[in-house]
């Protein structure tokens, strides 16, 4: 048995192959897992649980089928889908988790998160994140008509894409000290996250003890997961 972690699928109507690959995972390997954790950016964008996009209903039904089969599914918000709410969580059977969560699995203590809060060198993004995470602003946005939210989201995505093209690769990656601080704060030797789209396993030293950071890949060209079992922690890639 094993516990699976995925992130950064960025599901959208424009990428049906990725959706199909995710559905195959839910109907295949995930059925024999102890649990599935989705560490953010499951969707390319999310403007509210009331969005009638058929893709959302399809994904919710597939996750609910997994949960009903006896495999719990947990979700941490990403920077693209931070507005996923309780309504969609109930529809899909997912359990919403806080931005940072400590787990003890098969004798290993680990911290899981989306990963964007570790990119502290990207000051502009962190300022933006602080604004949009304000509950009153989220409630105001969700109260707007759906077509207005769609226009705002499209404008924000275009602005984000243009901004990222001018940023250095270093700025958009995690800050090493932020990683150490997070792991030290939570007293863990293992960290699993996504967001940066730079899949790798990084060896670290935390408190004079060996530690590791596992970075999930985005599903742009192939699937990516971290599998945790009694045999260890693996970063795996597979065609979707």
């Amino acid at each position: 048995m094993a516990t699976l972690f995925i992130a950064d699928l960025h599901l959208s109507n424009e990428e049906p192959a990725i959706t199909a690959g995710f559905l195959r995972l839910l109907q295949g390997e995930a059925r024999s897992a102890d649990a599935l954790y989705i560490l953010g950016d499951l969707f390319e964008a999310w403007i509210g649980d009331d969005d009638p996009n058929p893709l959302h209903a399809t994904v919710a039904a597939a996750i609910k089928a997994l949960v009903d089969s006896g495999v719990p599914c947990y979700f941490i918000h990403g920077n693209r889908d931070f507005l996923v709410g309780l309504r969609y969580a109930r529809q899909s059977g997912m359990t919403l988790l806080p931005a940072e969560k400590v787990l003890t699995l098969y004798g290993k203590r680990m911290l899981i998160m989306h990963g964007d809060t570790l990119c502290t060198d990207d000051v502009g993004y962190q300022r933006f994140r602080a604004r949009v995470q304000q509950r009153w602003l989220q409630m105001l946005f969700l109260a707007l008509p759906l077509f207005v939210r769609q226009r705002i989201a499209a404008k924000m995505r275009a602005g984000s894409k243009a901004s990222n093209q001018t940023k250095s690769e270093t700025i958009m990656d995690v800050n090493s000290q932020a990683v150490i601080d997070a792991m030290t704060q939570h007293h863990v030797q293992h960290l699993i996250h996504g967001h940066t789209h730079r899949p790798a396993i990084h060896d670290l030293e935390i408190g004079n003890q060996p530690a590791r950071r596992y970075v999930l890949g985005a599903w742009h060209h192939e699937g990516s997961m971290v599998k945790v079992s009694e045999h260890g922690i693996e970063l795996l890639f597979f065609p979707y």
Side-chain angles (χ1 to χ4, degrees), residues 210-238:
R212 278 188 170 179
R213 176 168 67 94
Y214 303 82
V215 187
L216 289 156
W219 283 39
H220 294 318
H221 306 293
E222 61 183 350
S224 169
M225 73 165 71
V226 166
K227 178 185 289 188
V228 182
S229 70
E230 61 181 6
H231 303 296
I233 305 178
E234 304 172 273
L235 174 61
L236 304 174
F237 304 93
F238 50 92

Side-chain angles (χ1 to χ4, degrees), residues 8-127:
D8 300 298
L9 281 72
H10 296 272
L11 300 179
S12 71
N13 294 319
E14 288 71 36
E15 296 284 355
I18 299 178
T19 300
F22 178 52
L23 297 182
R24 281 193 291 272
L25 175 67
L26 295 179
Q27 296 161 4
E29 185 172 359
R31 290 295 176 102
S32 60
D34 287 325
L36 174 67
Y37 287 81
I38 303 172
L39 306 187
D41 285 2
L42 175 61
F43 294 96
E44 172 66 11
W46 195 267
I47 59 173
D49 290 4
D50 59 336
D51 185 348
N53 188 337
L55 171 66
H56 301 167
T58 298
V59 171
I63 295 175
K64 186 64 164 57
L66 175 71
V67 173
D68 288 345
S69 75
V71 181
C73 182
Y74 302 93
F75 179 82
I76 289 180
H77 295 93
N79 56 294
R80 296 281 188 169
D81 50 17
F82 61 89
L83 288 175
V84 169
L86 292 174
R87 174 177 167 181
Y88 193 73
R90 286 192 294 267
Q91 182 182 354
S92 62
M94 295 191 302
T95 299
L96 301 181
L97 297 179
E100 299 181 0
K101 178 69 176 179
V102 174
L103 305 175
T104 300
L105 299 173
Y106 319 104
K108 306 174 187 68
R109 181 178 168 88
M110 61 196 66
L111 173 64
I112 61 173
M113 61 172 66
H114 177 57
D116 57 333
T117 55
L118 300 173
C119 301
T120 55
D121 292 330
D122 192 345
V123 178
Y125 169 74
Q126 295 300 333
R127 288 174 179 166

Side-chain angles (χ1 to χ4, degrees), residues 110-218:
M110 61 196 66
L111 173 64
I112 61 173
M113 61 172 66
H114 177 57
D116 57 333
T117 55
L118 300 173
C119 301
T120 55
D121 292 330
D122 192 345
V123 178
Y125 169 74
Q126 295 300 333
R127 288 174 179 166
F128 168 78
R129 186 183 188 279
R131 288 197 301 271
V132 299
Q133 288 294 328
Q134 297 180 81
R135 186 55 186 161
W136 69 268
L137 187 59
Q138 294 179 2
M139 293 177 65
L140 180 62
F141 176 79
L142 292 173
L144 295 172
L146 187 64
F147 77 94
V148 176
R149 281 180 269 155
Q150 289 171 332
R151 292 178 181 176
I152 293 174
K155 185 176 181 179
M156 291 175 64
R157 286 198 302 274
S160 175
K161 184 177 181 179
S163 176
N164 288 341
Q165 290 177 345
T166 64
K167 294 178 182 178
S168 71
E169 293 293 316
T170 301
I171 286 178
M172 292 191 292
D173 202 356
V174 301
N175 176 279
S176 298
Q177 189 59 50
V179 169
I180 294 173
D181 290 346
M183 297 181 72
T184 301
Q185 177 187 350
H186 292 287
H187 309 289
V188 299
Q189 302 303 122
H190 304 279
L191 168 62
I192 303 174
H193 72 83
H195 180 66
T196 64
H197 300 186
R198 301 178 186 187
I201 299 176
H202 300 272
D203 289 314
L204 310 168
E205 186 174 293
I206 307 292
N208 297 319
Q209 297 292 324
R212 278 188 170 179
R213 176 168 67 94
Y214 303 82
V215 187
L216 289 156

